[in-house]
Amino acid sequence: MFDLPHGLTRTKDLRESLRLDTQNVALGHNGEELQGIGRAKLFTLNDLDAVKLFGTTFAPELSSLKNAAPTVESSPIKTTEEFGPFPSQLLFQEDYAEVNRTIVGMLALKWLVAGDYDAFTGKQFPAAKLRRESFDQLRELFMSGLKTEDDVYALLVATVVNDLGKDPDMPEKATQFLQEYPPNPNHDMVVYIAAKHGMLPLINESEGTSSHRKLMQGLLFGSEVNIAQLAQAESAPGTLKHVKEIMAGQEHAFTLKFMELILDVAGADGHHDARCAKPMIEPVFQGYMVARQALMDIVQEKCSARGGYDQVLSHRSRLLATDGFTTLSVQDPYERALLRLITMGRTTTKEQASWFDRAFRSLSYKVRRALSDGLNVDGIDDGVAIIPYYMPALFSETLKTTSQSSQDVKVAALASLMRFLTRIYAGTKSVPGAKGEVTECSVAFAQNVVKSQDFKNNPTILDDLVIPEASRYVPVVKVDRNDSINEKRA
């Protein structure tokens, strides 16, 4: 399926670099002796040599990522002398956002294992910088989860394979297999389908091994449960109803999947700044650890899918309460709805939360009620829950666009986004006893409007944006003898 890009040849040097050196002492960043997998040569290489090693090992896959469409937050790359050359420039002599993000995620693994806190957190914003004790906790999770060189290699394979579904050619090549799956699969599902049908050489080469089973289990889990969406309250509890079924007895596969996610997040800003794991700041780290614990509690039957989901929301409430914001309850529909909006907005301070609060309160009663209804559908025996795919990114871009504006402008822009989100939810609401369903509606089509100067000057222009058919949920409403409303996907 993949052709080798010009000038790059797949090698087995990475495998060699993962062999543990039992004869010599391996020293980490601070001169400490590295143990376990830390004794592999990879973790003592400088960043430049590591990038070249990743490039030659995963040449076909990285070449495929050159075709990946930019995400909502992948704004144009501007390489500066301060930043130095980006990984994709070293490998392909050009900038490619997804290549840079993937490579920086791999570098983050090297920094973690080597105990290089300074490299990992280098240019993070000081106020939210990952604390040293949190870095140590994260490092311990990786060191305990990566027992062998095969584990490390499997994690790197999972990291580079993760975004292959964003290659626009991938769905077309997998078309013959897509018919047996739900329509419009997201990129995680596309990658799983491609791997299941032998279309990914990196996955095929481990067939028959425990690593292959763990990789496939991780891809299956990722196609069913998006941990990042859970951590940002972008998804719905209905996405968690099969967690126990998928994860039971697969603890190590889940650990590898979670580590892959951490590396994905760590490299998410690699197209802007490849010098550190810039997005993995303290609040983000804590949020993902809470999501991890919620999933484990669901598997161990300590809570329901809704209970696990609400752990994420309650954590956000506690985080903001420590900064002086009013404590919000997941038991109150309106407060829970506001918590979801705040969490999707990646809000970490009282000031930011107050903007969301003011925006939510500024909505008309009818719109606020409809938005709250849509945000409170579980998708488990209560009707259709909609996942507004990329909504956290739109909130993030809105806050960037209005960063130098007055609070009133920020609030008006957020209120506009909330009205837009209300239209995405299309009148859905919880109907106890109705067939549960979760459907995904991408809101990426709105990014150009949200990023524009016109939106900053007049946020109401978003009200006129037509929702394309592919992102529109159209319910079919039926009234039964008891006048209860049942909605199903058209």
Side-chain angles (χ1 to χ4, degrees), residues 331-370:
Q331 304 304 320
D332 180 280
Y334 281 94
E335 292 186 6
R336 186 177 183 275
L338 178 57
L339 266 176
R340 278 201 64 187
L341 294 169
I342 284 174
T343 307
M344 275 194 271
R346 304 165 185 169
T347 304
T348 59
T349 67
K350 175 184 177 181
E351 181 181 31
Q352 291 175 336
S354 69
W355 303 336
F356 279 81
D357 186 28
R358 282 182 56 193
F360 190 56
R361 293 175 185 275
S362 74
L363 302 175
S364 69
Y365 172 77
K366 181 178 180 180
V367 172
R368 188 167 64 251
R369 175 63 184 270

Side-chain angles (χ1 to χ4, degrees), residues 341 344 371 388 391 417-425:
L341 294 169
M344 275 194 271
L371 180 55
M391 196 65 207
L417 271 184
M418 291 179 190
R419 292 193 300 273
F420 168 74
L421 183 56
T422 304
R423 290 198 288 142
I424 294 296
Y425 280 123

Side-chain angles (χ1 to χ4, degrees), residues 306 310 313-314 317 326-339 376:
R306 169 73 175 243
D310 283 353
L313 300 179
S314 296
S317 180
T326 303
T327 299
L328 300 175
S329 171
V330 295
Q331 304 304 320
D332 180 280
Y334 281 94
E335 292 186 6
R336 186 177 183 275
L338 178 57
L339 266 176
N376 279 293

Side-chain angles (χ1 to χ4, degrees), residues 118-132:
D118 293 336
F120 193 89
T121 62
K123 299 298 177 179
Q124 291 181 353
F125 297 112
K129 185 177 181 177
L130 185 71
R131 297 198 301 262
R132 178 73 207 213

